[in-house]
Structures are given as structure tokens and as C-alpha cells.
Amino acid sequence: MEINESKISMMVDDITRKVKMELKYGQAISGGPMGGGSTGIYKTIDECIRHAGIAQKKLIELSFEKRAELIGSMRTMILRNADPLAKLAVEETRLGRYPDKIKKNILAAKKAPGCEDLITEARTGDDGLVLYEYGPYGVIGSVTPTTNPTSTITSNSLGMIAAGNSVVFNPHPRAKKVSLETIKLLNRAIISAGGPKNLICSVEEPDIKTSQELMNHPGIRLLVVTGGEGVVKYGLTRGKKCIAAGPGNPPVFIDDTADISKAAKNTVDGASFDNNILCIAEKEVFVFRTVADRLITEMKKHGAYEIKGQQIKQAVELLFKDSSGEHPLVDTQWVGQDAGKILRNIGITNAFDSRLVIAEVEHDHPFVLGEMLMPVLAIVRVDSLDEALEWGLRAEHGFRHTACMHSENVVNMTKVGRMIETSIFVKNAPSYAGLGMGGEGFCSLTIAGPTGEGVTRSRHFARVRRCTLKDSLRIV
Ligand code: NAD
């Protein structure tokens, strides 16, 4: 193996990060025997739902304080294993960037809401008292993606169990190993904190058939579906409540009042994070013509590589199965791959360290319209905010998912925010600030645009129940 300076530096970074994590959260616990059905992994969906049902009944017998302890233990377990889970995710799915996946695991473990999100509301009046309390659904069926396998299972599990439910996951088959490992670890954390086994279950061999079986099963009271358009459509037509988190194609708007150097860095950071496989990541930029050259120059300083003319044509050939129409179809073998690898395959061999490919194109180019999920970012020059909005709305396809803006003009920011109507609107920061990474707010990797919950939280996984008491229990 050839060892150069950059490889040695990566190895040192890797070891330093591991040592820091272990000092902070203790020794990693991954592995070790866990028998007696306590892994949560079963052969059939029926078995999963039966065991998860028993576990849920045991959970709601525990005190609220105990439930919060289980949540704390789950958080610690994922923090301890953020690094090995990230490594396994990259090895298995071959998508994304290992250091970024560690950050996503830490983010989900630390910032996904727990029991504190379930705030009882009390109203009093001449007729007495009414309480609005959050109660569980029972067993939730949750279908998870290949792009954020561990962090989605983590954030969903935290919120769902905090709300008193158990959950049966159907992970993406291409992320099976790492998803099952995450489930085992979370169950281990729950059991070690005195909670019931099987609060989190999955089948050994998840696939589309088991996903559909799970969604159609009468034992499932709530569906939480995170993935592309196919699974969202399927989930929404099951005749039961479904929280659906679907695709996005987030536009970035940059006007002539923006701090261009900062906008460039933020956009490169967001669009290259985990090789752009996050649904919230910047996918195309609409920039005022007067500042476009400066933006491109600054983006290159921050690790972007610009392709032009024939190189763009070659990239389209390489990266798309079908580049026509409003929803161009990418070749999935390129999803989540490194920018350097993509560049090498269109004949650019001196840009191995580039984090992001940028290309100036027209507003209806496949790089603009397609949800590419790879570090390739379209840049479109515009003459006005209205033009940017017209094309940005078209590129967003009405998903109402995420949009970003870089500007110092409050009127422009308000106009874009109102018109684009996305669940997440990030101003003057990388897109991941909208998930609470370097931005305020809690985190979830399930962002439900189609059904309107937006960034999901514990209370979304609970039923609101009303308790009315006539004429008494008031002190005023
Ligand atoms: P995918 O749709 O291929 O798979 C997601 C899950 O759905 C998998 O578990 C898969 O087995 C299952 N599935 C797929 N088609 C199905 C069908 N017809 N019936 C039943 N189950 C089915 O998605 P992916 O490639 O894993 O993830 C990428 C997509 O997910 C992108 O479009 C991305 O934007 C979206 N995504 C959205 C969010 C969000 O929070 N909104 C988060 C992550 C990913």
C-alpha cells in the first residue's frame, strides 16, 4: 500500500477522533452476545409485531422517569458507537463520507427530542378543567432509507419510544447490516437501563415485500415512512395514519446583498456534506448575475471544482440513466460517491481532493431538475429574484422540503420564504443548520413534507387525548 502524507494525516485524524470519543463517552460496546430474543431481530414481520406489541405494553407500565432513563441510555449507546456505526454504514452502503456519518450519528443521538417534548396542555374555565395529553399509538411501522440508515433509526426510535410506542423497522435492504446493528445496540441500551426487550424490532432480511407487509399489517397503528416517491406513495395509500418523509431538491437563492465569501463556503460545506445524500442538502443554486463570478471563484477556494462545456455533457452521460423531462433519473451507482471519483470518470485526474463538482448550466438542465444525491451542484445565473423564484419553484417540484438563502435583504428573504413554502428554510448557513447542526433547534432525519409535520419530533408519534373534568379541581 502506498503511504503518502495525506493518508498518514487521515489515519492520525481517525485515531484522534476515536480516542476523543472514547474519552468523552466511554468504551465502545458494539458486539458481544445478546441472546434470548433481546436483539429485536426476527424472521417474520408477524413475529416482530407480536413481540413489539408485548414490549410496548411493558413500556407504558413503567414510570415516565424510567422512560426518560431509557432514552438517556439509548443516546449514550449511539454516542459511544457513532464511529463504528459510521464506518459500517460506509462499508455496507458505499455511500457518503465516513467523518460526516459520525457527525450525523452524534447529531441524532444528542438532538432528537425525547420525553421532554410531550408537554401536557391544561385549560380551565367556568366549566372546570380539560387536559390534552400525548398518548402512544402502540406499535409503529417505520420504513427507513439507505442514505441515513443509522441516524434515521436513532432519531425515530428516540422520539417513538419517548412517546410510549414500540417500533418495527423495515430498513433498506442495502443498509441491512448496519441498520440491524443499530437496532441491536439500541435494544441493548434499553435493557441495560431496565427497560423491556423488543421495543425495537426488525426482520432479518428486510426487502420491499416485508416493507409492504409491515405497512399493511393490522397490528400497525401508525406508519412513518422515510424514502423516495415510491415508498411515500405506497405508505400514503394504506388506509391508516402515515407520516411521510419524501424526496427533496433544495434550491439555494443568493442575491447581490449576500456576503459572497460566506455564502460560497456555506454552500460548499452543505452540498458536499456526506456527498450530498441528505434530502435537505443544497442541490442547485440560483445566483444574481452580478455576483455569480465572485461566487464561483470563492466556491473554488473552498474545495469546489468547476466543470464546463464538454465536461458537463460527459457528466450528464455518466450520471443519468435518463436525463430528459422534469424528473431526470440518475444512475444510482453514482449516488453518494466522492466528487474526485466522479471527476476522474470524466477524465479529470488532478482533482482527487475536490469535495464538490460545480457546473454553470441553464435553469432546465438535468443537474437542476434531478434529485442527484451526489456532490454535483448546478449554478444558474439570474437577473432578478422573481426569475430565481420561478425557476427555484420549478426545481423544487412542490416537494415543500428544504430551501436555502444567502442574503442581507430582509424583504428578499421574506419573499423567498413565503413563496417557496418549504418545511425547512435556512438563511445564511449550510443546509444542515436546518437540522440543528450549527443551527438552533432539535434534529430528526425524518422530515415529513408531504404530510406536513416537517422535522419530526416525539409529539408527532403520539395521539392527542382529551380529559375533561367538570366543575372541580380548580384553585381559582
Ligand atoms: P428508497 O425509496 O429507495 O427506499 C426507502 C425505503 O423504502 C427502503 O426501506 C425501501 O426498502 C422501501 N421501499 C422502496 N420502495 C418501496 C415500495 N414501492 N414499497 C414499499 N417499500 C418500498 O430511498 P433511498 O434510496 O433509501 O433514500 C433516498 C430517497 O429518500 C431520496 O429521495 C431522499 O430525498 C429521500 N429521503 C427523504 C428523507 C426525508 O426526511 N424527507 C430522509 C432521507 C431520505
Side-chain angles (χ1 to χ4, degrees), residues 56 64 152-153 156 186 247 268 278 299 304 321 417 463:
Q56 194 265 336
F64 214 66
T152 307
I153 287 177
N156 283 8
L186 287 168
V268 173
L278 276 82
M299 287 178 96
K321 266 192 181 145
R463 299 163 58 219

Side-chain angles (χ1 to χ4, degrees), residues 95 142-148 152 170-174 206-212 215 225-232 234-235 244-249 277-280 283 332 335 371 373 401 444-450 454:
L95 308 179
S142 178
V143 182
T144 56
T146 182
T147 47
N148 319 310
T152 307
N170 195 88
H172 196 292
R174 285 203 308 272
D207 56 21
I208 290 195
K209 207 168 134 269
T210 57
S211 169
Q212 298 188 344
M215 289 193 266
V225 170
T226 314
E229 268 192 290
V231 70
V232 163
Y234 193 85
N249 195 32
I277 53 176
L278 276 82
C279 52
I280 55 130
K283 301 278 190 291
T332 48
V335 166
E371 188 199 27
L373 299 164
H401 197 299
S444 164
L445 276 299
T446 293
I447 298 115

Side-chain angles (χ1 to χ4, degrees), residues 169-291:
F169 282 109
N170 195 88
H172 196 292
R174 285 203 308 272
K176 175 182 72 178
K177 215 163 124 191
V178 74
S179 300
L180 298 191
E181 184 62 23
T182 311
I183 290 169
K184 286 181 199 168
L185 286 168
L186 287 168
N187 277 321
R188 186 192 294 266
I190 292 166
I191 294 163
S192 70
K197 58 185 185 183
N198 294 319
L199 270 182
I200 309 171
C201 292
S202 169
V203 283
E204 266 170 29
E205 296 294 340
D207 56 21
I208 290 195
K209 207 168 134 269
T210 57
S211 169
Q212 298 188 344
E213 195 186 336
L214 175 69
M215 289 193 266
N216 288 317
H217 199 289
I220 294 294
R221 307 275 301 277
L222 168 68
L223 299 177
V224 179
V225 170
T226 314
E229 268 192 290
V231 70
V232 163
K233 270 190 195 140
Y234 193 85
L236 285 173
T237 49
R238 292 310 92 205
K240 58 179 90 172
K241 170 142 183 173
C242 175
I243 295 177
N249 195 32
V252 184
F253 301 93
I254 303 179
D255 73 12
D256 53 357
T257 68
D259 176 336
I260 294 300
S261 171
K262 196 165 155 247
K265 178 168 183 350
N266 284 339
T267 305
V268 173
D269 286 351
S272 61
F273 184 73
D274 211 14
N275 282 344
N276 201 284
I277 53 176
L278 276 82
C279 52
I280 55 130
E282 294 85 344
K283 301 278 190 291
E284 61 279 336
V285 174
F286 299 95
V287 56
F288 277 36
R289 192 172 295 283
T290 46
V291 293

Side-chain angles (χ1 to χ4, degrees), residues 443-456:
C443 159
S444 164
L445 276 299
T446 293
I447 298 115
T451 47
E453 292 80 3
V455 185
T456 49

